[in-house]
């Protein structure tokens, strides 16, 4: 009888246990799969994925090492032109090369460089600021490109 009573109480309590407070903001925002960390406060490049051919986007600029570019893009965005990541300091990384929002004013008039061409132009500038290397990307070490 006691087991039955406990079971009944649990069954009746389940809706309360799993109920969500409508006043609490959900911390998970995947931006339609563009924010793999699931914690983006907004979706600067939208909520639809935009897969690109990594070889093509890298080969559009011949100044950098193509193998390094492919590795960086693969690790940064997996070739998703709409990829976004919100950093702990509140800045955003967006696009194929995950250009940080602190650089947007210097390379794209302050707007998020979500388009492949705009993102590439910003990435070229960041690459140049890094002494014509990928050392300013956090993934450069794993790619052997610092």
């Amino acid at each position: 009888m006691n087991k039955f009573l406990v079971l009944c109480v649990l069954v009746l309590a389940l809706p309360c246990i799993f109920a969500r407070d409508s006043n609490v903001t959900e911390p998970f925002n995947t931006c339609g799969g563009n924010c793999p960390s699931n914690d983006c406060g907004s979706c600067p490049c939208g909520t639809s994925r935009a897969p690109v051919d990594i070889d093509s986007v890298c080969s559009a600029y011949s100044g950098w090492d193509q193998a390094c570019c492919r590795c960086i893009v693969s690790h940064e965005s997996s070739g998703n032109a709409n990829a976004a990541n919100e950093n702990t300091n509140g800045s955003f990384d967006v696009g194929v090369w995950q250009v940080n929002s602190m650089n947007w004013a210097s390379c794209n008039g302050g707007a998020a460089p979500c388009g492949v061409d705009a993102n590439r132009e910003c990435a070229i500038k960041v690459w140049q600021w890094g002494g014509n290397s990928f050392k300013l990307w956090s993934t450069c070490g794993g790619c052997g490109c610092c």
Side-chain angles (χ1 to χ4, degrees):
M1 179 69 173
N2 284 341
K3 287 181 184 179
F4 179 74
L5 183 60
V6 170
L7 182 62
C8 287
V9 169
L10 281 174
V11 168
L12 293 173
L14 283 176
C16 294
I17 292 170
F18 292 106
R20 292 175 20 177
D21 183 346
S22 61
N23 294 324
V24 174
T25 303
E26 186 66 42
F28 301 110
N29 185 359
T30 66
C31 294
N34 292 333
C35 179
S37 61
N38 298 332
D39 60 359
C40 289
S42 65
C43 305
C45 293
T47 58
S48 60
R49 293 183 53 80
V52 298
D53 180 70
I54 293 172
D55 288 332
S56 295
V57 297
C58 286
S59 66
Y61 180 65
S62 61
W64 49 38
D65 181 278
Q66 296 298 305
C68 283
C69 180
R70 287 190 301 271
C71 185
I72 295 290
V73 169
S74 294
H75 285 88
E76 292 286 340
S77 67
S78 300
N80 177 9
N82 288 343
N85 178 56
E86 186 171 5
N87 299 302
T88 56
N89 66 359
S91 67
F92 272 93
D93 301 326
V94 300
V96 175
W97 283 273
Q98 291 291 279
V99 175
N100 187 272
S101 56
M102 296 170 79
N103 299 312
W104 298 353
S106 300
C107 69
N108 201 45
C114 298
V116 174
D117 293 336
N119 200 257
R120 180 185 312 104
E121 292 306 312
C122 286
I124 291 169
K125 288 183 179 183
V126 173
W127 179 78
Q128 290 169 338
W129 297 332
N132 294 340
S133 79
F134 287 102
K135 70 181 179 183
L136 298 179
W137 276 266
S138 64
T139 53
C140 72
C143 291
C145 300
C146 291

